Amino acid sequence: AVQLVESGGGSVQADGSLRLSCVASGVTHSRWCMGWFRQTPGKEREPVANIDDIGYTYYGESVKGRFNISKDDSKNTLYLTMNSLKPDDTAMYYCAADRSRFHSCERAPGHYNDWGHGTQVTVSL
């Protein structure tokens, strides 16, 4: 099994920036599809971004142009750089791995096998 641990969340004012990290340990594979998701109380988990084995990325409409997903395979680490943060970005952010796919990553959270415990991001005016 793979263990995922997120970090980097916190409280920031609107228009600020944060960089989230997700370190993978255990049985890992650098080619897996990896994704970031977010969730607020009472709402479904929402896909934020994903990245495949050759670096092809997907972004949700609400974060396009502001967020950047990247990974460092040598460190087994996935990143989410978030710029121009808005109060609507406030959520618990989770990273996840889809061990069944290397490319054409799925967007829906149900396709992802392994999840971290999340890191809270709070954006205030």
Side-chain angles (χ1 to χ4, degrees):
V2 59
Q3 292 79 45
L4 302 172
V5 179
E6 303 97 333
S7 64
S11 297
V12 64
Q13 289 191 317
D15 293 327
S17 299
L18 284 173
R19 188 176 81 157
L20 306 183
S21 299
C22 172
V23 177
S25 61
V27 179
T28 63
H29 199 300
S30 63
R31 294 188 65 194
W32 292 337
C33 279
M34 299 293 295
W36 285 99
F37 297 80
R38 65 187 183 186
Q39 190 171 23
T40 54
K43 293 189 177 180
E44 292 188 354
R45 198 162 289 190
E46 170 192 9
V48 175
N50 63 49
I51 187 167
D52 74 1
D53 61 336
I54 58 171
Y56 183 81
T57 56
Y58 156 81
Y59 295 95
E61 283 298 321
S62 63
V63 307
K64 271 183 184 177
R66 300 187 298 122
F67 289 12
N68 183 69
I69 187 171
S70 61
K71 58 180 182 170
D72 185 336
D73 292 334
S74 69
K75 297 180 179 179
N76 287 333
T77 302
L78 179 73
Y79 301 101
L80 184 69
T81 302
M82 306 185 294
N83 299 312
S84 303
L85 282 161
K86 305 175 181 179
D88 284 349
D89 295 318
T90 295
M92 185 72 78
Y93 283 72
Y94 300 89
C95 72
D98 180 353
R99 287 182 270 118
S100 68
R101 304 184 76 90
F102 293 161
H103 46 267
S104 300
C105 298
E106 296 285 353
R107 300 173 186 176
H111 290 277
Y112 289 75
N113 317 99
D114 300 282
W115 293 83
H117 292 294
T119 185
Q120 177 69 37
V121 172
T122 302
V123 184
S124 58
L125 288 171

